[in-house]
Amino acid sequence: MSRKREAFAVILIGIGMLVLLGPYVGFFTIVALLLLLIGVIALRHGKMRKGYICLGTGSGLLLLDHLALVLGIGLISLGIFYVRANKAHGGQKYFSQQNFIKTVQYNRDPWMMRSISSWHAIGDIDCDLSLAMAEEPDTVLYFHGLIGDLDFTIPEEYGVEIEAHLLFGQIGFNPEHPMGMERRQGVLNRVQWKSANYMNSTQRVKLVIFYVAGDLNIRLSA
């Protein structure tokens, strides 16, 4: 679809939304929905910066005009987190935490790695597992939130299982070429993968990711 036709389609959709929703919602809600729509289209075309700006602005307007709606989405996400946490860890013991904003920078110094379930509205996660000192031979790292920027570097001697879901955003991962990066962009991104050496490895890690919107990069290092 050309840019002109795409813009025309957005205008038609916007007018249609205004006609249908005008009697029930305010001006800011219409603008917010249009920005969210433009953001989704931008992400589908690989325009990540524009997409995130539109999604962020649209979400902010919704927050101002529909605080209860945003709060409801957050509570639903938190409820799903609690349900999935036990399933992700398979009944094993784990450390659980919930924060509105979560920042993790384990990419410079050695750090202690333990099984964890973490929920947050906004997250910035950067973990280099080559620096990790694992407490157990099997570790589950479960991160769940609304918006996140996540980077993981995993050494090849680890047995790795990955289950990642993003409603909006991109996932960078290419197990066949560790030095490269295959990016999957757009809507409903999903990766499920298990390394061939998983069962025979002395150190195994399972990475579980669920976000409404985010940018996830996973690198397998030599």
Side-chain angles (χ1 to χ4, degrees):
M1 181 182 296
S2 67
R3 290 186 177 181
K4 290 184 178 180
R5 289 187 178 182
E6 186 174 288
F8 183 63
V10 170
I11 292 173
L12 289 178
I13 293 173
I15 294 173
M17 292 170 62
L18 183 61
V19 171
L20 291 174
L21 302 178
Y24 309 103
V25 299
F27 171 77
F28 283 109
T29 302
I30 297 296
V31 174
L33 292 174
L34 283 174
L35 286 172
L36 291 174
L37 175 62
I38 294 171
V40 170
I41 293 174
L43 290 177
R44 290 181 64 89
H45 287 271
K47 300 176 181 177
M48 308 308 296
R49 180 179 177 81
K50 178 181 178 181
Y52 285 130
I53 290 174
C54 290
L55 286 175
T57 305
S59 299
L61 289 175
L62 280 179
L63 178 61
L64 291 174
D65 207 33
H66 292 280
L67 181 59
L69 174 62
V70 177
L71 179 60
I73 293 174
L75 291 175
I76 291 172
S77 174
L78 185 58
I80 295 173
F81 164 77
Y82 283 122
V83 171
R84 290 186 176 274
N86 290 328
K87 181 180 178 180
H89 291 273
Q92 298 180 353
K93 294 176 60 176
Y94 61 92
F95 180 69
S96 180
Q97 56 184 210
Q98 297 82 43
N99 309 92
F100 183 76
I101 299 176
K102 180 69 173 179
T103 300
V104 175
Q105 298 293 328
Y106 292 153
N107 55 359
R108 296 181 180 179
D109 302 312
W111 55 285
M112 187 65 66
M113 183 171 67
R114 64 179 66 176
S115 291
I116 186 174
S117 284
S118 177
W119 181 92
H120 36 268
I122 301 173
D124 182 8
I125 315 294
D126 192 343
C127 295
D128 187 346
L129 273 64
S130 65
L131 301 174
M133 297 178 289
E135 291 186 347
E136 302 289 342
D138 288 279
T139 304
V140 177
L141 302 177
Y142 175 33
F143 295 98
H144 189 132
L146 302 182
I147 302 173
D149 183 5
L150 303 97
D151 289 274
F152 295 91
T153 301
I154 306 174
E156 63 178 3
E157 62 266 20
Y158 272 64
V160 183
E161 183 176 359
I162 298 170
E163 182 180 347
H165 301 261
L166 295 181
L167 182 58
F168 305 105
Q170 69 174 0
I171 299 177
F173 178 59
N174 190 351
E176 301 300 327
H177 302 283
M179 299 305 293
M181 186 68 68
E182 176 188 356
R183 295 191 179 277
R184 307 180 184 185
Q185 303 173 342
V187 182
L188 296 176
N189 273 329
R190 178 181 180 183
V191 169
Q192 284 191 302
W193 183 81
K194 182 184 288 187
S195 62
N197 65 334
Y198 184 82
M199 296 305 300
N200 298 324
S201 299
T202 57
Q203 189 64 59
R204 293 181 290 271
V205 62
K206 181 179 180 181
L207 188 61
V208 185
I209 305 291
F210 286 90
Y211 279 85
V212 176
D215 186 356
L216 170 63
N217 293 296
I218 304 172
R219 300 175 181 85
L220 303 179
S221 64

